[in-house]
Each structure stands twice: as C-alpha cells, then as structure tokens.
Amino acid sequence: MKRVLIASMAAATLAGCGGRRPAPASVPAPAASPVTTGATTAPADWRRMATLADRDRLRKWRSTWLDALSRARVSGAGAAISAQGALLLPDVRLADPMPPPGSYRCRMFKLGGKAVGMRDFTGYPPFTCRIEREGSLLRFEKINGSQRPVGRIFPDPAGRPVFLGTLMLADETRPIAYGRDNSRDMAGFVDRVGDRRWRLVLPLPAFESLLDVIELVPASS
C-alpha cells in the first residue's frame, strides 16, 4: 500500500511540472552576456538568442536581397545602385568583417517597397552611428533619426557576424527588449565591403522595405 501511495505522489508531481506542455515558439532573448568556460570567456551564441521569426529572416537573406534589388532596378534606380559600388551587391564580402569600436558616418538604403505606392529605392542623408565594446560582443546604435536600430553584433563560426536588435522610434529614449515585439525585432549580417567600409544588412524589416542596408564608414575617414 505504501509503494502504491509513493508512486501516485510521483505521478502527480510530474503532472504538476507540466511535462506535457509544448515548448514556446520563441523565447525572448535576455541581455547578451559572455559564457564562461573555465578560464576562457566566449561570446554568447546568437542561435540561442534569435527568435524563430528572425532565424527565418536570416535564412532568406539572399533571395530577399535579389528580389529587392530587382525591384529597385526596374523602378529606374540602376544608376544609383551602381554608384554605390560593392555596397549593394549581395555576394561581395571581404575578410575581417568585424568593424572596430568607434563613431561612424552612416547611410541608409531601403530596397523593394513592401506595399503598393511605396518606393523601391530610397537613399537617406548621412547620420551618426556608434559601435561600442560590450563585454565580449559589439553593440551597434544609430544615434539620430526617426527609426534607430540598436543591438548587438555576434561573431559566427561561418565568419559572417550576426546582428540582433530592435528598432527605436521617434522620441523613444530606451530600446524595448529583444524578442518582446516581432514588429520591432531586427536581424541581419555585418559585412566588410572595402577598406574601412562596412555594411549592416537587414532583410525583411517589419516596415516599408524588403531590405535595409546601412553603410558604415569611420567618422574620422
């Protein structure tokens, strides 16, 4: 009788732990912090941080880019695209892609309108952005403007750094937590495309365009 009672209590305990509940579709990422292994500190793995929606964005980066580029050229922006050299070409990437910390002069390009009536190519005037060291990672922030991406840059074994962040709007003073609002989450890649010239590529942002490309050039250049 005692053995039966113990078995019943164990079964009830397991049921109370929710062992049969499905796992959530995505988990909001905590603040990125280093992972310490013995005496070695390694950066957090972006795969553990990224939402399912952002993983999908990253997988579709190239097809999205080609689609956006095609629409922009058809709209008559071919000369403007060519004028940017390697910046807007998807398969041009150089070694050593991590940009150093510092202040940058940045430009934003939006390719492929998301809805009827939206422009398929828009280039914006230069703005200020900044890259800072944050533990074992880098933090990117667009300083001014009505739409300001901010987030962390993660190294990747494949050699192409990954950006995960959120979009600040208008007069907001603090970014919302990554993973809390899909319409604000942003994911992309960082490439080096020239001597002291980088880009942040953001496929499938929630608003306006199919692809955003931010050019980064050190402010001291």
Side-chain angles (χ1 to χ4, degrees):
M1 182 68 179
K2 186 176 181 180
R3 292 180 179 176
V4 173
L5 180 60
I6 292 174
S8 299
M9 291 174 64
T13 301
L14 288 173
C17 289
R20 295 186 178 182
R21 287 183 298 178
S26 62
V27 180
S33 57
V35 178
T36 302
T37 307
T40 303
T41 300
D45 186 347
W46 69 266
R47 293 171 183 80
R48 296 183 180 181
M49 318 290 280
T51 63
L52 294 180
D54 279 350
R55 287 171 178 265
D56 188 56
R57 283 184 174 118
L58 294 175
R59 278 193 296 268
K60 295 176 177 176
W61 75 269
R62 194 172 188 279
S63 60
T64 299
W65 198 327
L66 293 176
D67 185 14
L69 203 57
S70 174
R71 295 189 192 191
R73 284 181 171 139
V74 168
S75 74
I81 292 168
S82 297
Q84 306 312 317
L87 183 68
L88 301 180
L89 301 180
D91 298 322
V92 176
R93 298 194 297 275
L94 303 178
D96 301 321
M98 277 291 193
S103 294
Y104 286 81
R105 184 176 66 256
C106 297
R107 293 188 300 160
M108 168 83 79
F109 295 88
K110 289 180 174 286
L111 283 71
K114 272 200 166 181
V116 176
M118 289 185 173
R119 298 183 63 180
D120 286 313
F121 182 85
T122 305
Y124 291 89
F127 54 87
T128 301
C129 54
R130 182 169 56 224
I131 291 180
E132 298 176 335
R133 180 73 60 185
E134 190 173 86
S136 58
L137 301 176
L138 294 177
R139 182 178 187 272
F140 170 87
E141 181 180 10
K142 182 177 183 288
I143 302 301
N144 47 13
S146 59
Q147 296 184 19
R148 303 182 302 282
V150 56
R152 297 178 177 91
I153 300 172
F154 296 76
D156 185 79
R160 197 177 189 197
V162 172
F163 170 85
L164 296 179
T166 58
L167 184 66
M168 294 178 64
L169 298 175
D171 58 353
E172 292 176 344
T173 58
R174 296 180 60 186
I176 64 173
Y178 176 76
R180 183 172 293 176
D181 183 346
N182 282 344
S183 70
R184 296 288 198 96
D185 289 342
M186 307 187 86
F189 296 101
V190 176
D191 302 318
R192 187 169 71 88
V193 293
D195 183 27
R196 295 170 60 82
R197 191 187 192 199
W198 290 264
R199 67 186 176 199
L200 171 58
V201 180
L202 300 165
L204 298 171
F207 306 108
E208 300 177 341
S209 52
L210 294 179
L211 184 83
D212 289 352
V213 178
I214 300 177
E215 177 193 50
L216 293 84
V217 175
S220 58
S221 296

